[in-house]
Amino acid sequence: MAIPVIMPRQGQSVETCIITKWFKRKDETVRTGDLLFSYETDKAAFDVESPADGTLLEILFTEGAEVPVLANVAFIGIQGETIESVTNSAGAATINTEEIRKPPETKTEHSSVLKSEPDVETLDGRIRISPRAKRYAEKKNLNYKGIQGSGPNGRIVCGDIDKALSGFSFPVKEAGAPQDEFTELPLSNIRKLIARTMHASLQNSAQLTHHMSADARNILSARKRIKDKIQSSQEEQDITLNDIICFCVIKAIKKFPEINTHFLDDRIKVFKKVHLGIAVDTQRGLMVPSVRNADEMDLRKLSRELKSAADACKKGNINPELIQSTAASFTISNLGNYGVEMFTPVINLPQAAILGVCTIINRPADLGNNTFGFVPYIGLSLTYDHRAIDGGPATLFLRELRIKLKFSVIKNKIASTAARYRNEGGCI
């Protein structure tokens, strides 16, 4: 009996995936472990291997098709074996591959019009639609001309047909505008997710931002020592400014745990451990992986874990569970490398706060003994949900972080530095 190949589920929030490439063709011989196809969710990209030896009897979805998770994607069996109606593992209606091979037999006025429509949208107005969506539209006697597709490159997928059948009104394209005046790009899955998440965050919470600056001389000095040791081969691991800042943030959070919370409408979840989320800019869009139990790590291990999480996001093989908004208890977004002096980060609900790290700017300051000069200051922007956190604790957390950065918790503190730290209310 033919063996179905199903679309895997990657995380509880993933409902559909898009097939990006087939590595095998229909009627081609495959072996267990051979790469069959690749697909992407709204968060990452993955590959699927053959579950058995045999022949790829049928491919039910083409490249670019949007496929429900746990649905049958293909069948593997013995050459010449026929495939009868099989109910896919997602519990949807049966898929008969014989019907897939046959052209639609409906002969209504609508279907005759549909058959004359091409499948690929080009500059002359031809329509781009997936084969499955086209069969679905023809079965429902629906004229899909005028439907705006939500699939890759504007392709019409089955979800768009469902919208049209339910009475959804698609926006009308502007007429008469020169085609070279603008370009319309369909939203990718990850961009849709970001849009929904950010809009929901601002709509469903009471967010405000406090801005503060911290003396960055100490962390810049620590960074310079690390670079010098690497150049002289005394040090192998490169610890960045962002690693040092994250380490100081964790120390400040341990003193003000009310920042390390989730607001759940009728209760507040206060975490005993710090699960640090870090915003990562990738080619596919913004991702926020979580480094679990970051408060148990020393600076070296934290640096390695942060780099590993960022690399996994950029390669597209991050564990989907680690980029759920519930995976982190507090998030940091660092735009310092881009020269941003101040910004308002948006909270990743249900988290109650997020820290924006800004660029370092030289500012005039009192150096003591009536001496003035320019001191490098790093900007800090804390956005918090006022439903969960009041302004007092938020400000005290920022103040503690400023002290941690000025008198860094990194090694090599001299006695005079320790004395100044205690004078400002710190605790070595």
Side-chain angles (χ1 to χ4, degrees):
M1 180 178 178
I3 298 174
V5 180
I6 67 170
M7 178 62 72
R9 177 185 290 277
Q10 297 290 350
Q12 295 301 315
S13 64
V14 178
E15 297 180 354
T16 62
C17 305
I18 293 178
I19 295 177
T20 54
K21 184 177 181 179
W22 278 98
F23 298 99
K24 299 292 184 180
R25 297 180 180 178
K26 181 181 175 182
D27 296 328
E28 188 173 347
T29 300
V30 297
R31 294 187 178 277
T32 303
D34 284 354
L35 203 58
L36 289 183
F37 65 93
S38 60
Y39 67 97
E40 66 176 23
T41 68
D42 49 11
K43 304 176 181 69
F46 304 91
D47 296 324
V48 171
E49 299 177 349
S50 173
D53 297 342
T55 300
L56 190 57
L57 299 176
E58 189 65 63
I59 294 176
L60 302 181
F61 297 93
T62 59
E63 293 179 359
E66 187 172 6
V67 183
V69 297
L70 305 182
N72 291 332
V73 176
F75 288 93
I76 296 174
I78 302 172
Q79 180 69 41
E81 182 179 358
T82 59
I83 306 172
E84 300 177 352
S85 295
V86 179
T87 302
N88 67 39
S89 54
T94 58
I95 300 176
N96 192 318
T97 54
E98 294 300 322
E99 292 181 359
I100 292 176
R101 296 190 187 99
K102 295 179 182 179
E105 297 181 356
T106 51
K107 297 183 179 180
T108 63
E109 180 180 350
H110 292 289
S111 62
S112 62
V113 173
L114 292 178
K115 289 181 181 180
S116 65
E117 296 289 351
D119 291 347
V120 181
E121 184 179 13
T122 61
L123 294 178
D124 59 3
R126 298 163 67 191
I127 297 174
R128 178 183 292 273
I129 183 172
S130 72
R132 185 166 179 255
K134 183 180 179 182
R135 291 192 297 271
Y136 185 26
E138 290 173 338
K139 183 178 180 180
K140 297 294 184 179
N141 296 329
L142 175 70
N143 189 339
Y144 50 77
K145 185 175 181 180
I147 294 177
Q148 292 189 14
S150 61
N153 300 318
R155 181 189 292 263
I156 299 172
V157 295
C158 288
D160 302 316
I161 303 299
D162 286 330
K163 284 185 178 180
L165 291 172
S166 65
F168 179 82
S169 297
F170 291 88
V172 180
K173 296 183 178 179
E174 298 181 20
Q179 292 184 351
D180 59 353
E181 186 174 309
F182 59 86
T183 300
E184 292 186 356
L185 301 176
L187 293 180
S188 63
N189 272 15
I190 192 168
R191 178 49 53 189
K192 291 177 183 177
L193 176 68
I194 294 171
R196 288 197 302 266
T197 302
M198 295 298 98
H199 181 263
S201 177
L202 291 172
Q203 190 176 43
N204 299 322
S205 61
Q207 300 188 29
L208 67 158
T209 306
H210 289 185
H211 302 282
M212 191 177 289
S213 297
D215 188 334
R217 285 177 291 181
N218 199 14
I219 61 174
L220 287 174
S221 176
R223 173 62 179 157
K224 184 178 184 303
R225 289 197 302 271
I226 293 169
K227 292 175 66 176
D228 290 343
K229 288 183 178 181
I230 290 175
Q231 291 178 357
S232 62
S233 300
Q234 299 179 37
E235 176 67 53
E236 296 181 357
Q237 183 176 347
D238 188 16
I239 297 175
T240 67
L241 271 179
N242 187 65
D243 298 335
I244 298 172
I245 293 167
C246 290
F247 191 66
C248 292
V249 167
I250 293 169
K251 298 300 181 183
I253 286 176
K254 297 301 288 184
K255 190 168 182 178
F256 293 93
E258 54 264 66
I259 298 294
N260 194 43
T261 58
H262 285 178
F263 184 80
L264 304 175
D265 292 328
D266 60 342
R267 65 192 186 280
I268 296 176
K269 181 187 291 185
V270 181
F271 289 87
K272 296 179 180 179
K273 310 301 296 183
V274 178
H275 307 308
L276 189 66
I278 185 76
V280 178
D281 186 22
T282 73
Q283 291 184 345
R284 299 179 64 244
L286 177 68
M287 293 187 182
V288 186
S290 170
V291 176
R292 305 285 293 179
N293 302 318
D295 55 310
E296 297 179 356
M297 304 175 187
D298 60 18
L299 181 56
R300 289 174 179 273
K301 184 175 182 180
L302 178 65
S303 176
R304 291 193 296 268
E305 293 297 324
L306 290 173
K307 185 178 187 303
S308 176
D311 289 345
C313 285
K314 292 174 182 178
K315 293 177 183 177
N317 57 6
I318 185 70
N319 182 348
E321 298 300 327
L322 293 180
I323 50 179
Q324 301 294 326
S325 61
T326 53
S329 57
F330 183 86
T331 295
I332 297 175
S333 177
N334 191 337
L335 298 182
N337 287 338
Y338 299 99
V340 175
E341 299 180 12
M342 181 183 296
F343 71 107
T344 304
V346 179
I347 299 172
N348 201 12
L349 298 180
Q351 297 169 38
I354 180 173
L355 178 71
V357 180
C358 308
T359 193
I360 296 175
I361 299 177
N362 288 317
R363 295 177 180 172
D366 184 359
L367 303 180
N369 298 323
N370 292 324
T371 302
F372 291 84
F374 284 89
V375 172
Y377 279 90
I378 186 169
L380 306 170
S381 300
L382 178 71
T383 297
Y384 61 96
D385 189 343
H386 213 322
R387 298 176 303 168
I389 305 169
D390 290 332
T395 304
L396 291 174
F397 165 77
L398 264 185
R399 178 179 178 273
E400 180 66 18
L401 176 58
R402 180 177 66 178
I403 295 173
K404 288 284 190 290
L405 291 170
K406 183 176 181 180
F407 308 109
S408 177
V409 292
I410 303 169
K411 296 178 181 179
N412 300 328
K413 291 191 286 287
I414 59 175
S416 59
T417 300
R420 292 200 306 273
Y421 184 67
R422 281 191 292 267
N423 289 338
E424 292 205 22
C427 179
I428 299 294

